[in-house]
Amino acid sequence: MDNESRLARGYSRPIAAILLGPPATLIALLLTARSVTAPLPVPVSVWLLLFCLQAASLAYLFRAQSRSVQNTENTGHDEFQANQNQNHEQSQANSNAPSAHRAKNKHSTSGLPTREILVCKMGDDIENGLAQGVLGVIRFSDYQRLLDFDETSASEFLTKMVDRLIDATASHRLLSHVDHGTIAIWFAGTDTLEKKQNELAALSYALKNEMVLDDKVIRPTVEAGSVIFPTDGKDPKTLLNRAISTINLRRSNNGISNYSKPIEDDAKFRYNIIQKISRAIDNDELSLHYQPIVNLAAGKIVGAEALLRWPQSDGEMLSPAVFIPMIEESDISDRLGLWTINTACREAGEWGKSGMGDVKVAVNLSARQLRSAKLSETILRSTQLHDFSTQRLELELTETAAMEDIIFSAEIFERMRIKGISISIDDFGAGYSSFSYLKNLPFDKLKIDREFVKDVDQCADNQAICAALIALGRGLGIAVLAEGVEREGEVHQLAAMGCILFQGFYFGRPLPAQEFSQLGSDVKLAAKMLPPVARNRNQSANEMLKSKQL
């Protein structure tokens, strides 16, 4: 019902009342007066006028009522028809929803269809019986790097790369802007799988050609990944997520990162490990074990390396070789590093009370921790908090980590040494093996890697390497420690070469703090720490004593 019909219907009754009321009232009064008193001198013309007005009022009322009924019927029909039309239009819109959706959803930066369009198109192809398809993703890594400091240049770069991609891509391929600098390409159709993959590889290669941006020549960094339908997934959203993850995991094959279930499982495992160890830090579930460092010339323990241990729910220890590399690659390494330093300073500070003496404790640093601007502040705060002398703290990091930024590392090392903290280079010879940093980095100790210590008494090559490293350390005034010694023959050979510092299973396995503090009274360990000459003398004396007893 329209507004005009409602208005006419609403005012018809008041108008009829106004027209009928006065004539009817006047006629009633005249008739009443005439019956009660003498006839009033009312002209005939007045009577005629009153009756005409009454008749006109009745006629108007009848017509208004008829029009109202008709309008009601017409309005009902019109509303029914409108509803029918609306339902038809909605049905038509629903049937054409994908097309309408695709017409609207364009990425504001590139103008390409969004991921919703891609998912819809993939779904249509799969429902229509697609036998095999390839979903490729190409990431323009320079876009995010430019966006960090120049949004205008980043947008221009992305526009040029998208234009280049459009020109190089067959017209029947669907391009979609699925992430900041990531474009997806849907390879459907009847082409062979090999042809589709080769086409993606060719596109990735062509996009790496140099381009000019703001009068600068740029060689774009392009990363590509792909998944196969239905091998790698049957759902469009799953396929897209897995295609993007192939780039993030960086498992490339001929420039294209291909999806595989083991890679995805490994990523999930890594993620779960980081989450679990984060909770373990909060719940105080981690612990440090300490492996003794002995001075063979002095015949005593002079230090210990703090090694992280993570007991699992079943009581077993998860190997550090499993979780330490994952932690060093994540942001949690800063939290864990702070926990390790605090715990080592607190526990080592109590060893003096047990008679162990003021031995040093070595704490491992990751490359990420070394780059932290708050490293010096964090370490000094920890030593002050536990009243732990900086002279007893040693920071240990790998040769590779120290070499990442040699100038920055030199500044940190010098700052630490001024405070009395010593620096040790772990796994020496197994990293960059560049001797140039030996004179540029101020450190106090180098540890010969287990790879060269193993079977040094039997392997001529290892003997030559160890002898050279020991001589090098002596010449530079740097202490040399042989790590990973497990047999007495290795100890004898290295001692004969001039090595006096040792660490390994031969002298002791890593122990909890309380058990480590009791090693000072360990008779067997004391015997092992005797210099080789004294040890041989004791052995000879024992043999002579036995022979006399026999």
Side-chain angles (χ1 to χ4, degrees), residues 310-532:
W310 183 12
Q312 302 300 292
S313 57
D314 58 1
E316 296 294 326
M317 292 286 185
L318 183 63
S319 172
V322 174
F323 64 87
I324 290 295
M326 302 179 193
I327 293 171
E328 291 181 346
E329 295 174 358
S330 69
D331 294 336
I332 201 176
S333 63
D334 293 331
R335 285 183 59 206
L336 186 60
L338 176 60
W339 178 89
T340 302
I341 292 171
N342 271 321
T343 304
C345 290
R346 174 173 53 81
E347 294 182 339
E350 299 175 355
W351 291 342
K353 304 174 184 177
S354 65
M356 173 63 72
D358 295 337
V359 300
K360 280 190 173 186
V361 60
V363 178
N364 289 278
L365 290 182
S366 67
R368 183 186 289 268
Q369 287 177 271
L370 183 64
R371 293 193 298 266
S372 173
K374 297 182 178 180
L375 176 63
S376 302
E377 179 184 347
T378 299
I379 293 174
L380 294 176
R381 188 186 300 119
S382 297
T383 57
Q384 293 169 2
L385 176 64
H386 302 287
D387 194 24
F388 188 75
S389 172
T390 55
Q391 302 289 336
R392 296 180 57 196
L393 181 61
E394 181 173 282
L395 300 180
E396 187 173 302
L397 65 159
T398 64
E399 181 182 0
T400 304
M403 283 291 291
E404 279 193 5
D405 188 338
I406 192 169
I407 297 177
F408 181 75
S409 297
E411 293 176 357
I412 294 295
F413 288 4
E414 190 60 44
R415 200 179 305 163
M416 293 292 99
R417 295 183 76 196
I418 290 174
K419 298 295 182 180
I421 300 172
S422 56
I423 307 295
S424 174
I425 301 297
D426 193 16
D427 301 334
F428 185 80
Y432 284 98
S433 299
S434 173
F435 292 107
S436 63
Y437 77 89
L438 291 177
K439 64 177 182 179
N440 295 321
L441 286 179
F443 62 94
D444 305 277
K445 181 191 296 180
L446 62 85
K447 301 176 71 173
I448 303 176
D449 187 74
R450 165 66 183 162
E451 179 182 350
F452 308 120
V453 171
K454 183 180 179 182
D455 297 329
V456 67
D457 56 325
Q458 302 171 2
C459 178
D461 291 342
N462 285 358
Q463 289 177 17
I465 294 173
C466 287
L469 294 178
I470 293 169
L472 179 65
R474 185 185 301 115
L476 295 174
I478 300 172
V480 178
L481 181 149
E483 63 177 339
V485 291
E486 297 182 357
R487 298 186 299 105
E488 186 174 359
E490 295 170 348
V491 175
H492 280 221
Q493 182 66 49
L494 291 166
M497 295 176 180
C499 183
I500 62 174
L501 295 176
F502 294 85
Q503 177 185 348
F505 288 170
Y506 177 74
F507 293 101
R509 292 180 177 273
L511 297 171
Q514 187 174 2
E515 294 182 33
F516 178 84
S517 66
Q518 300 171 1
L519 286 179
S521 58
D522 190 323
V523 178
K524 291 183 178 180
L525 177 59
K528 290 182 178 180
M529 288 189 295
L530 286 173

Side-chain angles (χ1 to χ4, degrees), residues 94-106:
N94 289 338
S95 64
N96 295 330
S99 300
H101 193 56
R102 292 168 189 161
K104 293 179 182 178
N105 290 271
K106 299 290 184 181

